[in-house]
Amino acid sequence: MTDKQFFWGNSVSSMQTEGGWNEDGKSLSVYDIREASEYASDWHFANDNYHHYTEDFDYMQAMGMNMYRFQISWSRVVNDGDGSFNEAGIQYYDRLIDALLARGIEPMICLYHFDMPLHLAEEYNGLMNKHVLDAFIRFGKEMVDRFAEKVKYWISFNEQNLYHQPEAFRISGYLKGDQTTAELYQIAHNVMVAHATICNYIHETTDAKIGGMLAYSEVYPATSQPADILAARKWDEFINFTLLDCYAKGQYSHEMLTFIKNAQIDMHILPGELETIRQMTSDFISFSYYASTTINAAKIPAGTVPNDYLKFGGQKNPYIDATEWGWQIDPLGFRDVLNKLYQRYRLPVFPIENGIGVQEEWDGQNPIQDDYRIEYHQAHIDAMFDAMHEDGVEVLGYLGWGLIDILSSQGDMRKRYGMVYVNRTNHDLKDMQRVPKKSFYWFKDLIAKYQC
């Protein structure tokens, strides 16, 4: 390791973790009205961290973790997203932060993880609208004012490059429209302006650090055919590098801007917005990494915008294994992503989500023997250390995803990432008992080894 503190920890979102959906003045988010289905829970209770967070933090402390990345629910702290501030909600996060610090766990705040306040989605169509952009900035600045004295690490948007992909319409609060390419780019630009504004505000008013965050899945060309190599490169440029260029250089990719000009796409850029992006500096680059895939140019229809390439051209890699959910396990891809980020931008990099989702059932007595999870994390941590020690990559830490069981991103409690089991199913809350799995003790020993 190095003389610098290395962070080991856990990442979550609010709606997948908290519960307390209608308590202490919380407004509705778009998730709160989603109904349960055969393979998904509703979002009302999650793992009830709202009432169990001290117990969960005790488990994290026992594992030796020294960082917890959590999300502040916009609709919990601002009435309807653009109304008055809800002091009861803000006090909840203040208590949560104090509980972390008391256990020697550094908090990292994420401001938005897809759970748009319902009012802003229904009334304004979410982040398509400049009013919602302004409402987010107001919310974000208030949270910085309230918490930056205690919280020194921040991100604004979870997996921001998803706003450059078709997924943007689901996660931005967009409820009505034709989902056009122009609208996609308007959403992506509004999100970048919001991130840059909060980034600049943090640097102007605090000593806290903030970085951009993206979902980085390695996408290989399916073959050595030049068309596949071109498709993979353009995917990286339009989905990843244009975002990273903003984080590190304050400007969009020139290739993307050329495409915008040629396609006559109106991004609804207002005066001063590009200057806000130009002024931005990043203290680190953070990302999630779970899997890799390949892209086959022959499957992409002519005229498809690069943002949609993977929608049509994605296909499985025959050389690596996959989880039961079809996510392909690729630690070497993780090492390559770490290098892509650091060698190109020379900013510290921070993998803040990594993990494997598996269906598991507890017998009510014995710890779950999740050797597959141990194998997954060990392989990725080994790849990370190779990137650090053999390639010279500066890495701030390693955060697993949902290391105390939470709802999956689709609301499916069957897909478990945790090293601590939470005793509930999609449709039966049971007692929510926390039960360490075999991986809990493995991770505890690993952290102790590297903290010596």
Side-chain angles (χ1 to χ4, degrees):
M1 306 300 293
T2 68
D3 293 335
K4 295 181 180 179
Q5 183 179 28
F6 193 85
F7 293 113
W8 297 97
N10 184 20
S11 286
V12 299
S13 73
S14 62
M15 72 283 189
Q16 292 169 264
T17 306
E18 287 179 2
W21 71 285
N22 62 351
E23 296 187 42
D24 298 325
K26 182 185 179 299
S27 304
L28 294 177
S29 82
V30 292
Y31 281 83
D32 293 325
I33 63 168
R34 293 182 183 174
E35 297 180 355
S37 61
E38 182 180 3
Y39 294 119
S41 171
D42 63 30
W43 299 85
H44 291 174
F45 300 99
N47 74 6
D48 200 27
N49 182 262
Y50 195 74
H51 302 106
H52 285 269
Y53 68 83
T54 55
E55 179 184 356
D56 292 344
F57 294 170
D58 286 343
Y59 278 114
M60 286 189 275
Q61 183 183 27
M63 293 174 81
M65 292 182 183
N66 58 4
M67 179 170 275
Y68 181 56
R69 170 216 158 182
F70 66 96
Q71 180 214 345
I72 292 178
S73 168
W74 186 354
S75 52
R76 189 179 295 284
V77 298
V78 185
N79 292 314
D80 289 330
D82 61 356
S84 60
F85 288 98
N86 176 28
E87 292 300 326
I90 293 171
Q91 289 166 17
Y92 160 72
Y93 290 110
D94 198 41
R95 294 191 300 270
L96 183 149
I97 290 165
D98 285 345
L100 288 168
L101 294 173
R103 290 163 174 80
I105 301 172
E106 189 87 29
M108 171 187 273
I109 285 177
C110 172
L111 291 171
Y112 186 76
H113 197 124
F114 315 152
D115 57 339
M116 177 65 61
L118 182 63
H119 164 69
L120 298 182
E122 292 181 334
E123 186 71 21
Y124 299 101
N125 220 21
L127 284 160
M128 267 284 298
N129 193 292
K130 297 293 185 181
H131 173 83
V132 178
L133 165 61
D134 292 340
F136 174 84
I137 291 170
R138 172 176 175 261
F139 148 65
K141 286 183 174 180
E142 184 71 15
M143 295 305 100
V144 171
D145 291 344
R146 299 289 188 120
F147 297 127
E149 186 175 341
K150 297 178 181 179
V151 180
K152 299 306 178 184
Y153 290 87
W154 294 71
I155 57 174
S156 57
F157 290 87
N158 179 71
E159 299 181 329
Q160 191 176 336
N161 59 340
L162 296 186
Y163 297 94
H164 294 236
Q165 304 174 47
E167 185 76 359
F169 297 105
R170 186 184 71 84
I171 64 178
S172 66
Y174 178 104
L175 297 182
K176 51 186 177 292
D178 297 327
Q179 299 189 9
T180 66
T181 299
E183 289 176 324
L184 174 68
Y185 275 89
Q186 288 162 19
I187 292 170
H189 174 68
N190 284 345
V191 170
M192 180 53 75
V193 173
H195 167 74
T197 302
I198 297 302
C199 186
N200 293 342
Y201 187 74
I202 282 179
H203 287 138
E204 290 163 2
T205 63
T206 80
D207 63 353
K209 298 180 184 298
I210 182 170
M213 194 267 188
L214 69 164
Y216 214 135
S217 295
E218 184 75 286
V219 177
Y220 304 110
T223 72
S224 56
Q225 292 189 63
D228 289 346
I229 295 169
L230 178 64
R233 187 201 63 75
K234 290 185 78 70
W235 171 264
D236 236 357
E237 188 71 27
F238 279 69
I239 301 304
N240 299 317
F241 291 142
T242 191
L243 190 82
L244 292 161
D245 282 357
C246 285
Y247 293 157
K249 303 175 182 178
Q251 58 189 10
Y252 291 117
S253 152
H254 186 67
E255 182 177 358
M256 189 202 81
L257 291 177
T258 301
F259 167 78
I260 295 297
K261 179 181 178 181
N262 291 340
Q264 298 183 323
I265 292 172
D266 181 3
M267 293 174 67
H268 285 191
I269 299 173
L270 297 183
E273 290 182 340
L274 292 180
E275 181 60 27
T276 296
I277 295 170
R278 275 193 290 270
Q279 292 171 353
M280 174 174 54
T281 58
S282 297
D283 298 300
F284 56 87
I285 295 171
S286 58
F287 67 102
S288 64
Y289 180 88
Y290 296 95
S292 67
T293 189
T294 75
I295 193 164
N296 183 339
K299 296 167 61 177
I300 302 172
T304 299
V305 299
N307 309 73
D308 287 345
Y309 276 6
L310 204 60
K311 174 181 174 182
F312 298 103
Q315 66 180 41
K316 290 291 171 36
N317 186 335
Y319 299 104
I320 52 178
D321 294 330
T323 71
E324 61 192 296
W325 308 96
W327 292 25
Q328 295 204 267
I329 301 170
D330 184 10
L332 284 178
F334 184 42
R335 178 178 177 178
D336 193 49
V337 167
L338 287 162
N339 272 280
K340 279 185 176 181
L341 294 174
Y342 184 72
Q343 308 301 354
R344 181 164 177 155
Y345 296 103
R346 295 298 173 90
L347 289 169
V349 294
F350 200 167
I352 61 173
E353 287 184 28
N354 182 237
I356 182 171
V358 180
Q359 293 193 60
E360 297 168 322
E361 292 186 9
W362 179 47
D363 65 7
Q365 184 174 2
N366 301 299
I368 291 171
Q369 301 297 299
D370 56 340
D371 293 280
Y372 41 82
R373 181 167 291 108
I374 294 171
E375 181 180 339
Y376 178 95
H377 282 283
Q378 183 70 70
H380 285 78
I381 290 169
D382 287 346
M384 176 184 70
F385 284 150
D386 287 343
M388 294 168 64
H389 302 310
E390 295 183 22
D391 308 332
V393 177
E394 182 180 354
V395 180
L396 296 181
Y398 174 87
L399 308 186
W401 173 253
L403 297 184
I404 296 172
D405 281 345
I406 62 178
L407 292 175
S408 78
S409 60
Q410 304 303 313
D412 192 348
M413 198 67 196
R414 297 176 306 152
K415 188 178 185 183
R416 295 176 181 267
Y417 286 86
M419 296 177 177
V420 176
Y421 185 86
V422 174
N423 191 33
R424 65 154 292 183
T425 68
N426 275 331
H427 306 118
D428 184 354
L429 296 178
K430 297 187 177 182
D431 59 7
M432 299 260 191
Q433 182 180 348
R434 272 65 168 155
V435 185
K437 306 173 189 178
K438 182 179 180 180
S439 58
F440 174 93
Y441 303 101
W442 166 81
F443 200 44
K444 176 181 179 180
D445 290 344
L446 181 141
I447 293 173
K449 173 184 175 182
Y450 287 109
Q451 285 182 336
C452 291

